Amino acid sequence: MKNLSTMAEMSAVQSYVDDGRVLEVEQALIRIPSSTFKEHQIADYLAERMRGIGLEVSMMDVVHPSDPRSFSRQPVGILRGTGGGPSLMLNGHMDPGVEMSGWTVDPYGAKFEDGWVWGMGAHDDKGGIAAAFCGLEAVIQSGKRLRGDVLLCPVIAHKLGGAGTRALLRGGVSADYCINMEHSNNTIANVCVGVVMVGIRVQAPELFFRYSPEAKAQYWNPIEQICEIIRRIGPSLDPIPEGSWMTFEPHPELPGFPTHTFDTVHKEHYYHRNHTGMSSREAELQLQFRTVPGQSLQSLEVDLTRLLEGIRRDHPAFNYQLTLPAAGTAQGWCQDPMECPTDHPLVQALACGQRFASHAEPVVGGWGRLGNVGDGNIIAAAGIPSVQYGPGDIRIYREWPTADERVLLSDLVIAAKAIAAAIVGVCA
């Protein structure tokens, strides 16, 4: 727990957060379209504003992970401390989700009405970036000198498996702690699920309607093989029962997990145009798992191999190839679950800031990001204690992603104040 003097400073710095300023920054970011690998304009805009509040700013070019001809860029801003204190990274992504149909307002108009700000990325993740920027600006305006550095890192391509954050880490940008500004309804997600994409390809000999008993004994239709895999794993989005085919310890903050969903099934036919390059003797299933702390790529591979070998024992004609992570997903949809202890100084400082800002007890745990992964997973896997925290809650929508994305200005302001306090609590 911080001493009373530091806690007083944490509370005092929040008075420098201005509601109008938060709104202005949020609206400015929403009005700049910034889809994945088209973040150039918003990156330049944020770099200019970061320099304007006194940060040292450099620009990092990032190459598209699957197209070397495609580039985007992301600014890295640093507020230098006097030395001797922990450093803190504030990380948020500049690319919003896919623009869905059905918007009732201009998705780039940044409409403000009845306390709500509307627009693409309003809380995913431009609201988080606005809160981080305004929180850090408040610290600067307060005149409080920090011992540790603060890094403000608006990144590209979260929607491409965190390509911007991965480039950031490869480029040597690091800190002692990180707050990943993902929408969490301003709860402090110190524990989050992981994600792994899995590919399973099955094969069988071609068999026509005239066949010998020996040939039939070697045959099991590839589609039926896929169906048996699906049957044994269980229905999509159902919690995987403890003590069943998967090995894990349930986490009290992640009810309903681990779980999975079946994403694609491919099967070719020799009469039809080939779309996948597979032969007509093959079929392929791709599915994803959302995992809990304690699970790993290796443990999941052991569990799946055991399940698939069980099918082979019961059906000798079963012929499978397991690819984990699925081809092309290792640098995106393969992220470890993350957990930062509740008593960690980062969690405690942010909780204290949230308490001061909201005048309510902070919520710490998995609820606000339940089922989601963020770039905080990637940062935590690099050995940097991390939490995910930010304004906005996808539970207000019937489904996500959605049209009419919106966030309360009051939540943006609370987040900015909590970040300002957390910066002082961690870096002073």
Side-chain angles (χ1 to χ4, degrees):
M1 182 62 67
K2 296 292 180 182
N3 61 45
L4 293 178
S5 174
T6 302
M7 292 179 68
E9 292 174 337
M10 292 172 66
S11 179
V13 76
Q14 295 186 338
S15 65
Y16 290 87
V17 174
D18 177 74
D19 295 27
R21 177 69 160 174
V22 175
L23 176 61
E24 181 264 320
V25 174
E26 167 78 337
Q27 289 181 312
L29 296 181
I30 290 172
R31 288 171 179 147
I32 303 174
S34 55
S35 57
T36 302
F37 264 85
K38 295 180 180 178
E39 301 96 344
H40 308 70
Q41 184 182 354
I42 196 171
D44 293 344
Y45 176 82
L46 278 165
E48 180 180 352
R49 296 204 70 155
M50 288 156 67
R51 290 189 186 99
I53 64 172
L55 305 189
E56 297 176 18
V57 179
S58 59
M59 191 68 78
M60 174 182 286
D61 289 333
V62 183
V63 182
H64 195 289
S66 60
D67 182 1
R69 300 165 299 176
S70 180
F71 290 80
S72 192
R73 54 181 174 262
Q74 56 194 23
V76 178
I78 303 178
L79 177 66
R80 296 288 179 189
T82 59
S87 56
L88 175 64
M89 179 191 296
L90 305 174
N91 171 288
H93 62 86
M94 298 181 287
D95 57 324
V98 177
E99 185 176 324
M100 309 294 286
S101 60
W103 279 82
T104 63
V105 300
D106 179 359
Y108 302 104
K111 173 184 174 182
F112 178 58
E113 184 176 84
D114 296 329
W116 292 88
V117 189
W118 299 64
M120 283 289 296
H123 59 71
D124 187 25
D125 227 5
K126 294 181 178 182
I129 293 174
F133 176 90
C134 292
L136 181 53
E137 183 182 39
V139 174
I140 295 169
Q141 289 178 341
S142 75
K144 174 64 182 175
R145 295 302 303 274
L146 306 171
R147 292 184 300 135
D149 296 345
V150 183
L151 289 74
L152 183 56
C153 299
V155 294
I156 71 161
H158 164 72
K159 304 301 182 182
L160 200 61
T165 291
R166 294 175 192 272
L168 201 71
L169 295 169
R170 285 196 305 271
V173 179
S174 186
D176 293 312
Y177 308 140
C178 176
I179 301 174
N180 176 211
M181 301 297 302
E182 280 284 1
H183 51 87
S184 69
N185 198 27
N186 287 352
T187 67
I188 300 164
N190 66 319
V191 55
C192 296
V193 299
V195 60
V196 182
M197 301 289 283
V198 174
I200 306 174
R201 184 174 292 195
V202 298
Q203 190 176 58
E206 291 285 11
L207 200 63
F208 190 60
F209 292 94
R210 292 184 178 183
Y211 50 80
S212 68
E214 294 79 13
K216 180 64 167 64
Q218 298 297 316
Y219 176 78
W220 192 14
N221 185 284
I223 293 175
E224 293 169 349
Q225 292 186 52
I226 294 291
C227 289
E228 180 63 10
I229 295 169
I230 292 172
R231 186 187 73 80
R232 295 208 185 193
I233 290 176
S236 285
L237 302 181
D238 276 9
I240 296 172
E242 185 180 4
S244 62
W245 67 270
M246 181 179 277
T247 305
F248 64 94
E249 288 289 333
H251 196 291
E253 289 294 334
L254 300 173
F257 292 88
T259 188
H260 67 284
T261 184
F262 301 105
D263 291 328
T264 61
V265 176
H266 293 123
K267 171 71 170 69
E268 300 289 350
H269 192 277
Y270 45 78
Y271 285 164
H272 301 153
R273 178 184 174 188
N274 191 297
H275 294 277
T276 67
M278 291 191 299
S279 76
S280 58
R281 298 179 291 110
E282 299 170 296
E284 186 173 65
L285 167 68
Q286 185 166 289
L287 66 158
Q288 63 174 286
F289 290 92
R290 299 284 165 136
T291 57
V292 298
Q295 291 185 282
S296 66
L297 200 64
Q298 292 73 28
S299 71
L300 186 55
E301 183 173 21
V302 169
D303 289 338
L304 281 167
T305 300
R306 185 171 57 248
L307 180 142
L308 295 170
E309 286 297 318
I311 297 175
R312 178 141 56 193
R313 284 194 300 272
D314 295 339
H315 303 273
F318 183 55
N319 185 359
Y320 76 90
Q321 178 185 352
L322 172 65
T323 305
L324 186 152
T329 67
Q331 289 301 308
W333 291 97
C334 185
Q335 298 180 25
D336 292 336
M338 56 160 278
E339 184 169 21
C340 187
T342 303
D343 60 358
H344 190 280
L346 173 63
V347 177
Q348 291 296 304
L350 185 53
C352 190
Q354 177 69 19
R355 184 181 296 110
F356 291 150
S358 65
H359 307 292
E361 279 304 298
V363 176
V364 178
W367 176 85
R369 295 287 296 160
L370 190 61
N372 292 83
V373 296
D375 285 11
N377 291 72
I378 300 168
I379 295 166
I384 301 172
S386 303
V387 297
Q388 299 182 31
Y389 167 86
D393 183 11
I394 63 174
R395 292 171 181 80
I396 68 171
Y397 313 111
R398 291 184 60 186
E399 59 182 2
W400 180 260
T402 188
D404 286 349
E405 184 180 345
R406 57 200 181 273
V407 65
L408 284 168
L409 175 60
S410 57
D411 285 349
L412 292 168
V413 171
I414 287 171
K417 289 182 176 181
I419 291 296
I423 290 170
V424 173
V426 168
C427 302

